[in-house]
Amino acid sequence: MSLLQTDLELTKNSYYAATAPRRQHFPSLQSHIDADVAIVGGGLAGLSAAIELADRGYRVALLEARQVGWGASGRNGGQAIAGLACDQSVIEGQLGREDSKRVWDMTLEAIRLIGERRRRFDIDCDWRDGYMGLAVNARKARELQAWHEQMQRDYGYETSWITPQDMPNWIASPRFHSGIHDPKGGHLHPLKYSLGLAAAAAGLGVQIHEDSGVTEILPGRLPKLRTAQGSVSASHVLLAGNVYLQGIAPVLEKRVMPVGTYIVASEPIEPTLAQSLVPSGSAVCDTNFVLDYFRPTLDHRMLYGGRVSYSTATPPNLAASMQRRMARTFPQLKDTRIEFAWGGFVDISMNRAPDFGRLADRLHDRQGSDWSNVYYLQGFSGHGLALTGLAGKLVAEAIAGDAERFDTFARIRHRPFPGGRLLRTPALVAGMAYYRLRDLL
């Protein structure tokens, strides 16, 4: 089964889709249009860029192959967390302490940006404050505490340390040793947020076209994007389709790997019990390499994510296996029924750092054409709910003439996954088996 076929199956029983009806639909592209900026991808990154560019007076056309928010933007765990998917030492090792701190501070700006847009556009998306990162044993707790102290000392990032003695006040689970609480983080309903941004972009004059997958990019001074029934010419292009670029930029595809991740939502839990599980109402991640992540919802369900597939094959008996994972964390929920089970694919980079840039820098003009006005955003590595919003803002700044912040991210070096198209998936599966074993040990 192809990635797209698998992904279609994974959309069918989503809690988010069931609780965020699509009341606004956008027409497919049926003719040729002109724009200042053409955006490929109607997820959080593309919608954010569209809003920022429209605010600056640009004519923006956004092309989405399916519906806005259809991919990872509308199916993710809903957690807005400071930082990147990689450890900050990866960034510091490449860019140095000063620029690494700038990157870190921009990830905090990304969380604030969610609040600003919620208020500005009156987006009701079930936001709740608070995030916890929890260690499952003493060794991992020592690593987490060292990170907590270093980030406070070197980056001015203040979080609260949760001792083993205090842990029962924060989570009703026997699984965790200690951890951190960050009041700046939080969680939301990502599809409601995505649909809210789409409505906001449309209200600012952005031309949004759904069911309009791009089949070809013709580079030049005015790049042209072709779809099945129309085309767009624009001065600048942004590729924000992540793992869904459908072959239009092969040089980017080898720099990210589609990795499946899976989420379930329980049936409604008795409110007193639901409140007792995570009294602060925070979102939670453990610190394992292959992690579990979960959060309580406003309608008293437990939304629980975990498991990954590096081969794009959906794990068998998904709902039952995820229920067991949830019950391992919360034995109180061992008899709680799973009502929704879904998943999707995230764009993992080799070093788990975001991969932003211009297509010309990847092609090195090997094709004899001008790609310098084609930007891309990818490699959020499962940590993109907040960062995608900032990424859209940075690329808008660059298009408007101030590329300093965008270029800070673009300086992060990346390598393609080894093995070519046929071997890179098996190689990744083998590599990730090592990390799963390390977590278990």
Side-chain angles (χ1 to χ4, degrees):
M1 186 180 290
S2 71
L3 180 146
L4 184 56
Q5 289 172 313
T6 301
D7 207 33
L8 285 168
E9 289 296 314
L10 288 170
T11 66
K12 290 182 177 178
N13 190 28
S14 163
Y15 165 74
Y16 296 138
T19 53
R22 293 178 180 270
R23 297 187 174 91
Q24 189 172 15
H25 300 276
F26 302 97
S28 62
L29 184 63
Q30 300 287 327
S31 63
H32 177 81
I33 61 174
D34 294 305
D36 297 320
V37 184
I39 298 173
V40 180
L44 291 168
L47 291 168
S48 172
I51 288 169
E52 293 287 338
L53 289 161
D55 276 345
R56 289 167 170 79
Y58 288 87
R59 296 173 303 147
V60 182
L62 185 148
L63 306 178
E64 165 55 45
R66 294 190 175 274
Q67 293 85 41
V68 290
W70 183 84
S73 294
R75 284 185 261 160
N76 61 72
Q79 302 197 11
I81 306 171
L84 308 173
C86 65
D87 192 82
Q88 202 63 24
S89 62
V90 173
I91 309 303
E92 193 169 315
Q94 289 199 28
L95 304 186
R97 173 70 60 79
E98 184 176 345
D99 277 343
S100 177
K101 189 174 188 309
R102 291 183 68 212
V103 167
W104 177 265
D105 289 343
M106 281 190 272
T107 74
L108 301 180
E109 178 186 344
I111 297 175
R112 294 194 300 271
L113 192 59
I114 292 175
E116 292 169 10
R117 289 180 175 160
R118 284 170 34 233
R119 291 186 291 272
R120 175 185 174 188
F121 300 116
D122 194 23
I123 301 174
D124 181 6
C125 56
D126 304 348
W127 174 266
R128 299 181 77 178
D129 290 324
Y131 163 74
M132 291 193 291
L134 303 182
V136 298
N137 57 42
R139 178 180 64 82
K140 289 183 178 293
R142 288 191 293 272
E143 294 171 356
L144 180 59
Q145 188 165 20
W147 177 88
H148 159 78
E149 292 171 353
Q150 182 211 353
M151 294 304 294
Q152 182 173 305
R153 180 181 66 248
D154 296 340
Y155 287 79
Y157 175 55
E158 299 282 346
T159 55
S160 300
W161 180 251
I162 305 172
T163 67
Q165 294 76 24
D166 287 338
M167 188 59 68
N169 297 322
W170 289 91
I171 188 165
S173 171
R175 190 168 164 236
F176 302 106
H177 180 277
S178 50
I180 61 163
H181 175 257
D182 181 1
K184 303 180 202 69
H187 54 107
L188 52 70
H189 190 303
L191 184 55
K192 288 183 179 180
Y193 184 58
S194 297
L195 297 179
L197 291 182
L204 293 171
V206 175
Q207 296 185 67
I208 299 176
H209 294 282
E210 296 180 319
D211 300 311
S212 300
V214 174
T215 58
E216 185 181 15
I217 306 177
L218 302 176
R221 187 181 63 82
L222 288 176
K224 188 174 187 177
L225 306 183
R226 287 180 174 162
T227 70
Q229 296 176 295
S231 59
V232 181
S233 291
S235 300
H236 303 274
V237 169
L238 169 61
L239 302 179
N242 296 319
V243 298
Y244 301 107
L245 287 179
Q246 305 179 87
I248 64 173
V251 71
L252 297 182
E253 293 177 19
K254 61 184 69 172
R255 294 164 67 90
V256 292
M257 181 70 75
V259 172
T261 183
Y262 310 97
I263 312 175
V264 296
S266 73
E267 64 183 336
I269 304 167
E270 192 278 319
T272 302
L273 172 59
Q275 170 64 26
S276 72
L277 298 175
V278 186
S280 66
S282 299
V284 184
C285 288
D286 68 35
T287 61
N288 289 340
F289 189 85
V290 181
L291 54 80
D292 281 9
Y293 52 95
F294 49 91
R295 61 189 186 88
T297 65
L298 289 181
D299 57 352
H300 307 301
R301 302 172 188 268
M302 179 57 66
L303 193 151
Y304 201 98
R307 300 206 63 168
V308 290
S309 171
Y310 296 97
S311 65
T312 75
T314 303
N317 304 314
L318 180 60
S321 65
M322 291 297 293
Q323 204 285 338
R324 289 193 292 272
R325 292 179 83 95
M326 182 176 72
R328 182 180 61 168
T329 296
F330 295 110
Q332 308 93 312
L333 303 183
K334 64 182 177 62
D335 296 321
T336 300
R337 185 173 61 88
I338 296 300
E339 191 167 333
F340 299 94
W342 71 100
F345 292 94
V346 294
D347 50 332
I348 304 290
S349 65
M350 272 280 282
N351 60 6
R352 294 197 170 197
D355 182 12
F356 304 165
R358 299 165 184 82
L359 210 52
D361 296 332
R362 306 286 73 83
L363 293 167
H364 304 295
D365 292 326
R366 289 196 302 268
Q367 299 182 12
S369 300
D370 182 11
W371 295 90
S372 61
N373 47 5
V374 180
Y375 296 77
Y376 71 88
L377 303 169
Q378 65 177 18
F380 296 97
S381 301
H383 205 94
L385 178 63
L387 190 62
T388 44
L390 177 79
K393 184 176 182 179
L394 298 186
V395 79
E397 291 173 357
I399 289 171
D402 182 3
E404 181 182 3
R405 301 207 306 165
F406 181 84
D407 286 343
T408 298
F409 274 91
R411 285 170 47 216
I412 300 171
R413 296 184 300 277
H414 293 270
R415 291 183 296 157
F417 281 88
R421 182 175 293 274
L422 293 178
L423 294 178
R424 59 193 179 124
T425 294
L428 184 63
V429 171
M432 292 306 104
Y434 162 77
Y435 286 104
R436 283 197 296 269
L437 179 62
R438 202 172 74 166
D439 282 342
L440 289 171
L441 293 176

